[in-house]
Amino acid sequence: MVNKHYVAGYDAFVAFMKDFNGNGGMINILFTGAKLENGLSWCGDCVEAAPFIENALNANAPDDSHFIYVDVGDRPTWKDMNNPFRKDTNTHLSVIPTMIRWKHPQRLEGEQCAKADLLELFFSEDD
């Protein structure tokens, strides 16, 4: 079973990743907008991609892998061009949702996160 983790905000993300050890398992990270009171993200593209990501994650991700959900903040926080997620060389985000393989080139951005074939390839591709 995939190990799932949840982190909210840039400072929490940096602290989490600093001490995180995946024990050799694949580390995939999804950057998404904060959830509203209704449980859905303020980001429409994130909401649209969520079921596709979950299906691919459950069907294709290795059991010893890690999947980290990262909340990049509310809409004004994300839209700030000085948002640290945008400037960090490890994340370099320009759009959400974005999914990356930590410290590897695999990356899906925006509409790509709602494409089942790309998600299957993303999760089944070895480093």
Side-chain angles (χ1 to χ4, degrees), residues 4 13-14 24 33 37 39-40 53-54 78 83 89 91 110 122:
K4 296 180 180 180
F13 169 71
V14 170
E37 289 180 11
L40 299 176
I53 293 168
E54 287 299 316
W78 168 247
N83 181 304
T89 57
T91 59
F122 180 90

Side-chain angles (χ1 to χ4, degrees), residues 33-42 74:
K35 291 194 176 8
L36 301 171
E37 289 180 11
N38 64 6
L40 299 176
S41 172
W42 60 263
D74 60 13

Side-chain angles (χ1 to χ4, degrees), residues 1 4 9 13 19 24 29 33 36 39 44 56 67 78 80-81 83 94 100 118 120 125:
M1 180 178 210
K4 296 180 180 180
F13 169 71
D19 297 327
I29 305 172
L36 301 171
F67 194 78
W78 168 247
D80 180 351
M81 295 316 285
N83 181 304
S94 60
I100 65 170
L118 294 178
E120 180 181 346
E125 191 174 79

Side-chain angles (χ1 to χ4, degrees), residues 43-46 48-50 52-53 95-99 107-119:
C43 167
D45 291 340
C46 299
E48 182 182 333
F52 293 98
I53 293 168
V95 63
I96 54 173
T98 292
M99 197 161 49
R107 184 179 193 97
L108 295 176
E109 296 180 322
E111 294 176 357
Q112 294 175 329
C113 293
K115 300 205 179 301
D117 56 338
L118 294 178
L119 288 162

Side-chain angles (χ1 to χ4, degrees), residues 26 60-62 101 118-127:
M26 183 184 298
N60 304 108
R101 173 91 34 86
L118 294 178
L119 288 162
E120 180 181 346
L121 184 61
F122 180 90
F123 285 115
S124 59
E125 191 174 79
D126 288 336
D127 291 333

Side-chain angles (χ1 to χ4, degrees), residues 61-86:
D63 285 344
D64 65 342
S65 67
H66 297 270
F67 194 78
I68 306 167
Y69 297 86
V70 180
D71 166 347
V72 300
D74 60 13
R75 185 179 178 84
T77 301
W78 168 247
K79 293 294 185 181
D80 180 351
M81 295 316 285
N82 290 315
N83 181 304
F85 283 110
R86 295 178 183 274

